[in-house]
Amino acid sequence: MISIGNLAAGGRAKTPLAALVAERLRDMGERPAILSRGYGRRDGTDGVVVVRDPDGIRADLDRSGDEPLMLARRLDGVSVLVCSSRYLAGRLAEHHFGCTVHVLDDGFQHFDLHRDADIVVLAASDVEKPVTLPSGHLREPLDAAAAADAFITLGREVRVGGPGRPSWTATKRIGPATIPGPVLAVAGLADPLAFFRETRDAGWSIAREMPFRDHHRYTRDDLRRIEEGARGAGAVAVLTTEKDYVRLLPFRPFALPIVFAPLTLELEPVATFDTWLRERMDLARRS
């Protein structure tokens, strides 16, 4: 089991990293499953919800939650399962879908399962004058990072790692502009301002910004307000995040085009990351 986690309360690109790790494992010939607790889902049915099996999507937003559904839409050939007990989800993935490795999304604080590798994501603000909740953004003290097996740092200015605990730099990539005109930018994230800034940097022409809280569940009134805001700003479309897009899908058809700018991560150097990942898998199987 490969755990992806962080010390902060949000906004550290854990889910895109979980997608990247699952993709690389799949391309190595593994059959990965992503296990999630499905934060924010409306239908909290007991038991395991199969959001995606290797052949297709099997659950809707209410049963899956936004991030698992986003992963399911993105990752062909990867299973995505949601359950309060990720042990049960993992066992089902192994027995029914033949999964050979699990990726635990947001797993650093989940101590019930044995992990073969703990990958912790760190940003500069986590290590420069760190503070703890509720007054700040860290949900774990900085010295908890000593339990990590490897680090992914968001930005070259972060320096962590050491003998036996490698680190790689991750660069966020926002999809380039595909709409020839101004857009209304909508984001329900832990850090919506970062999304607005990064989309501008990627070439999007943003006429107005409309932030919402993280995991906000949109209503028809919200959509009406978004569409009115877009028209009032002279926007020809609405731009949002991939995670917000899956929360807006139930309200189709839209009066205005709604598009998302996908967020991906690029690791440097990726070749050594693949080598490390294979070595951890080989070690886990030998032990």
Side-chain angles (χ1 to χ4, degrees), residues 89-110:
R91 296 296 287 173
L92 187 148
E94 293 168 11
H95 287 289
H96 288 272
F97 307 132
C99 293
T100 59
V101 58
H102 304 305
V103 178
L104 192 60
D105 186 17
D106 196 12
F108 192 57
Q109 288 79 22
H110 191 80

Side-chain angles (χ1 to χ4, degrees), residues 48-190:
V48 180
V49 175
V50 178
V51 184
R52 183 188 181 102
D53 62 28
D55 297 320
I57 296 173
R58 307 300 179 199
D60 61 10
L61 176 65
D62 286 346
R63 297 181 65 232
S64 63
D66 53 6
E67 289 173 343
L69 184 58
M70 180 187 78
L71 291 167
R73 287 169 53 88
R74 183 189 290 196
L75 297 172
D76 290 337
V78 174
S79 298
V80 180
L81 298 94
V82 165
C83 187
S84 58
S85 169
R86 283 181 267 193
Y87 172 80
L88 289 179
R91 296 296 287 173
L92 187 148
E94 293 168 11
H95 287 289
H96 288 272
F97 307 132
C99 293
T100 59
V101 58
H102 304 305
V103 178
L104 192 60
D105 186 17
D106 196 12
F108 192 57
Q109 288 79 22
H110 191 80
F111 301 110
D112 295 340
L113 295 177
H114 169 75
R115 278 77 65 88
D116 299 296
D118 256 313
I119 302 173
V120 169
V121 187
L122 290 173
S125 57
D126 299 335
V127 297
E128 296 173 358
K129 298 181 181 179
V131 290
T132 54
L133 292 172
S135 61
H137 68 277
L138 291 190
R139 56 183 178 180
E140 291 276 359
L142 187 59
D143 57 10
D149 296 300
F151 298 97
I152 303 294
T153 63
L154 300 176
R156 299 179 183 276
E157 66 275 15
V158 186
R159 293 289 183 267
V160 292
R165 293 197 300 161
S167 67
W168 294 270
T169 298
T171 303
K172 291 182 181 181
R173 301 295 184 198
I174 292 284
T178 58
I179 300 293
V183 297
L184 170 72
V186 173
L189 301 172

Side-chain angles (χ1 to χ4, degrees), residues 218-262:
Y218 293 100
T219 65
R220 292 197 180 277
D221 284 342
D222 290 330
L223 183 59
R224 188 176 305 111
R225 199 154 56 87
I226 289 169
E227 291 169 344
E228 289 172 354
R231 292 191 184 96
V236 298
V238 174
L239 170 69
T240 191
T241 73
E242 192 172 4
K243 187 167 76 168
D244 286 285
Y245 186 74
V246 300
R247 284 183 261 133
L248 288 165
L249 282 176
F251 302 109
R252 289 180 298 182
F254 303 125
L256 282 174
I258 298 181
V259 297
F260 66 86

